[in-house]
Amino acid sequence: PEVIGEFMQTISRGDDIVSADGPLWKTWRSAFNPGFSVSHIMTMMPGIVDDVATFARILHEKAVTNELFRMEHLATRLTVDVIGRVVL
């Protein structure tokens, strides 16, 4: 959405993939392409599956004990774990 590009523009002054266009966008996109290739993502899959299995185990434990909890916290942790694994 345009509003996200405008927000990023104020932070990065346009030196980012979100608000850039033309040659600058193409440069950034080329830099990130290898990280999003199917072959690279497939090498990351075992770790991602481990992260999701941990998430599922915690959900199961909560269900067994009938414990009330905030799922947002657990889902955010899963998201950060997966993104961290893929990016780092």
Side-chain angles (χ1 to χ4, degrees), residues 11 21 44 50 57 61 76 78 80:
I11 295 172
D21 60 6
M44 308 301 289
D50 287 344
R57 179 185 49 77
E61 290 169 1
T76 300
L78 171 63
V80 170

Side-chain angles (χ1 to χ4, degrees), residues 36-49:
F36 291 100
S37 71
V38 172
S39 61
H40 176 68
I41 297 296
M42 290 308 292
T43 66
M44 308 301 289
M45 200 54 61
I48 294 169
V49 169

Side-chain angles (χ1 to χ4, degrees), residues 43-75:
T43 66
M44 308 301 289
M45 200 54 61
I48 294 169
V49 169
D50 287 344
D51 292 338
V52 173
T54 299
F55 177 75
R57 179 185 49 77
I58 294 169
L59 290 180
H60 183 266
E61 290 169 1
K62 302 287 188 187
V64 166
T65 62
N66 204 25
E67 180 182 341
L68 185 63
F69 68 100
R70 292 186 62 116
M71 190 167 175
E72 179 184 11
H73 176 70
L74 291 176

